[in-house]
Amino acid sequence: MIVAKLIDTSLCIGCKACEVACQEWNDQEFKPQPEFLGTYQTQPELSHNFWNLIKFNEIEQDNKMVAWNMSKYQCMHCADAGCMKACPAPGAIIRHANGTVDFVHDKCVGCGYCITGCPFDVPRLSPKDNKVYKCTLCSDRTAVGLEPACIKTCPTNCLTFGERDDLLFQAEARAKELQSDGHTSAGVYNPAGVGGTNVLYVLKDASKPEQYGLPKDPTIPWTVSLWKGPLKALGTMALAGGVLGAFFHYLKFGPQQEEAPDED
Amino acid sequence: MKIERFTFTERAVHWMTAISFVYAGLTGLALWSHKLYWIASVFGGGPATRFAHPWAGTVFAVVLGLMFRSWVSSMRLDAQDQVWLRKSLQYAMNDHHGVPDAGRFNAGQKMLFWTQAVAALVLFASGFVLWNPTWMPRAARLIAILVHPAAALVSITGIILHIYMGVFVVPKALHAMVRGEVTPGWARAHHRAWYAGLKGK
């Protein structure tokens, strides 16, 4: 059973209770911003000890009024995960049977390739232990039948946890409801470029996910795919070919003559 | 009678380059493919390998710079080298008829020098970008993550050829790089134009 999180952005009131719950459950210190940044957003982006951020996206509407497009930003738990593809350490990034992408810090070497491979720019390198951290989808809670801490604490039912197929169905129904309420471009954010995500969004305007701080068509970067695909095959052939070529060259032609006679 | 082929400084710089290259190369290969990750255990495990790789690369950058400075003046390709390169297949089959006499370095060695120099430049630049993911913008890292292994493959393939030539194909070439001296007969056989120049002095 693949589990997922559904985030109905139309119901988010920006209370940030999920941020607090995430910090508490994962035993992270709270680090206030040293100065006011002109926004209610807790901090500009995710960090190694802050895995769940409510983005207060300020959007100017047609009537010149500014609206907040709240969105919850964290690991998307992609079906085709760029971090997993880029990771050089076997077993450092794993996928649980329920679809959750999790980092195993004992095996993480701290190279940061997952940060480059992630189309959502989610993982963060900790300066303390030089390992990479992100949302675990509370795998330590879901493993024993509990829902993630952010879901548990959400006061508006903006967040739902459950079986992915059920949530997709629910999301589509909610998008239709929003459409009939006049949000004609309401829809579900479940980007196909990464094989779908285990974090699903209902957006009031799904045609412009950027307005919610989400990339429009995220895919695993082509340089990562090329490096881990054809280049790897080509490289193996070049290295093995070089060694084998040298071996057979020696069998066929052998060494050059060591010395030339004195002609003087 | 012995002829000095490489000074002590040249040999020391060459072998420092070689050792740092092998260290950076093996730690790099360990992180390049899951199938080669076992190499990391030789270097103290994954995190130690990841830590050592860029530092080995930095040492390699410095000593390669010294090697470049001391040899670059002997590495310019001339008209004779063009002919040599056209006959390189024949040279590879140990048929040296019509292959131009080599100077201190033959055209193959010069090509290796320039290939390694260019590959190393790419490796240093992209390696710096990848050293710490917080130093450079994502766009730079996305390019670096591809060109770093690509340049490394060119470099390693070149070095496989270099080691094969130096250790197996040309007898006493390894000795020349270790102890710095060759016999007149060796110089005549492998670097005739260089030998003629020395004799003319």
Side-chain angles (χ1 to χ4, degrees), chain A residues 14-160:
Chain A
C15 70
K16 307 198 235 180
C18 56
E19 288 184 0
V20 176
C22 179
Q23 295 299 93
E24 291 246 311
W25 177 260
N26 294 298
D27 205 14
Q28 318 266 32
E29 58 181 312
F30 177 68
K31 178 179 60 99
Q33 284 296 322
E35 56 190 303
F36 182 58
L37 297 172
T39 168
Y40 281 100
Q41 195 168 308
T42 309
Q43 54 184 54
E45 47 176 53
L46 298 169
S47 55
H48 69 97
N49 55 4
F50 196 89
W51 304 340
N52 170 39
L53 176 69
I54 296 297
K55 285 190 179 175
F56 285 59
N57 304 288
E58 291 178 15
I59 303 299
E60 197 179 291
Q61 295 171 304
D62 295 338
N63 60 9
K64 298 290 172 196
M65 298 288 278
V66 172
W68 268 330
N69 277 358
M70 302 293 180
S71 73
K72 184 177 180 295
Y73 208 71
Q74 79 278 279
C75 172
M76 302 292 284
H77 300 278
C78 309
D80 188 9
C83 57
M84 285 182 88
K85 186 156 217 169
C87 179
I93 305 181
I94 56 163
R95 184 184 297 284
H96 295 296
N98 67 5
T100 303
V101 177
D102 219 349
F103 286 11
V104 179
H105 295 105
D106 286 352
K107 293 185 176 164
C108 172
V109 301
C111 65
Y113 279 14
C114 53
I115 301 170
T116 306
C118 174
F120 296 94
D121 190 27
V122 164
R124 289 289 183 275
L125 195 64
S126 164
K128 279 188 188 146
D129 62 359
N130 200 42
K131 303 207 183 264
V132 182
Y133 290 86
K134 68 161 189 71
C135 158
T136 66
L137 215 129
C138 281
S139 52
D140 49 349
R141 290 174 59 89
T142 58
V144 292
L146 298 171
E147 56 190 359
C150 56
I151 314 281
K152 177 89 177 163
T153 202
C154 179
T156 67
N157 281 337
C158 159
L159 303 180
T160 320

Side-chain angles (χ1 to χ4, degrees), chain B residues 136-147:
Chain B
M136 289 285 161
R138 181 175 161 76
R141 282 183 279 128
L142 283 174
I143 299 167
I145 213 167
L146 181 65
V147 300

Side-chain angles (χ1 to χ4, degrees), chain A residues 87 116 223 249 256 259 263-264, chain B residues 92 138 142 164 169 183 199:
Chain A
C87 179
T116 306
T223 53
H249 178 271
Q256 296 176 7
E259 308 228 348
E263 296 139 1
D264 303 334
Chain B
R138 181 175 161 76
L142 283 174
Y164 172 59
V169 176
T183 63
K199 254 192 1 178

Side-chain angles (χ1 to χ4, degrees), chain B:
Chain B
M1 192 187 106
K2 294 283 186 182
I3 305 169
E4 183 181 55
R5 175 137 175 85
F6 296 114
T7 66
F8 169 73
T9 311
E10 285 175 319
R11 284 177 279 141
V13 168
H14 173 270
W15 287 111
M16 284 192 292
T17 310
I19 291 165
S20 56
F21 179 88
V22 169
Y23 206 105
L26 286 176
T27 49
L29 282 172
L31 298 172
W32 180 59
S33 165
H34 283 192
K35 291 191 183 68
L36 296 175
Y37 191 70
W38 59 270
I39 298 172
S41 58
V42 181
F43 292 91
T49 299
R50 170 58 174 85
F51 173 82
H53 178 71
W55 284 109
T58 305
V59 174
F60 177 59
V62 173
V63 288
L64 187 77
L66 296 175
M67 191 161 84
F68 185 86
R69 207 181 57 173
S70 68
W71 283 343
V72 66
S73 59
S74 316
M75 292 296 181
R76 297 211 169 85
L77 287 143
D78 57 28
Q80 285 289 85
D81 290 325
Q82 304 292 335
V83 181
W84 193 100
L85 289 173
R86 273 200 294 279
K87 304 233 175 205
S88 55
L89 206 63
Q90 189 192 322
Y91 173 87
M93 295 189 287
N94 289 354
D95 172 10
H96 295 193
H97 295 289
V99 177
D101 293 345
R104 188 173 183 210
F105 298 106
N106 69 36
Q109 291 172 299
K110 291 178 183 178
M111 289 302 288
L112 181 83
F113 178 87
W114 290 110
T115 307
Q116 295 301 330
V118 172
L121 260 183
V122 175
L123 282 169
F124 302 149
S126 57
F128 181 79
V129 171
L130 294 172
W131 195 331
N132 187 312
T134 61
W135 288 351
M136 289 285 161
R138 181 175 161 76
R141 282 183 279 128
L142 283 174
I143 299 167
I145 213 167
L146 181 65
V147 300
H148 193 73
L153 287 169
V154 171
S155 187
I156 295 170
T157 309
I159 291 301
I160 290 174
L161 184 67
H162 177 57
I163 293 172
Y164 172 59
M165 292 294 295
V167 177
F168 296 99
V169 176
V170 180
K172 296 286 183 195
L174 180 63
H175 180 78
M177 189 45 87
V178 175
R179 300 293 303 127
E181 55 191 24
V182 295
T183 63
W186 187 93
R188 271 196 301 275
H190 302 286
H191 296 275
R192 186 177 288 270
W194 173 65
Y195 177 69
L198 288 180
K199 254 192 1 178
K201 273 187 195 157

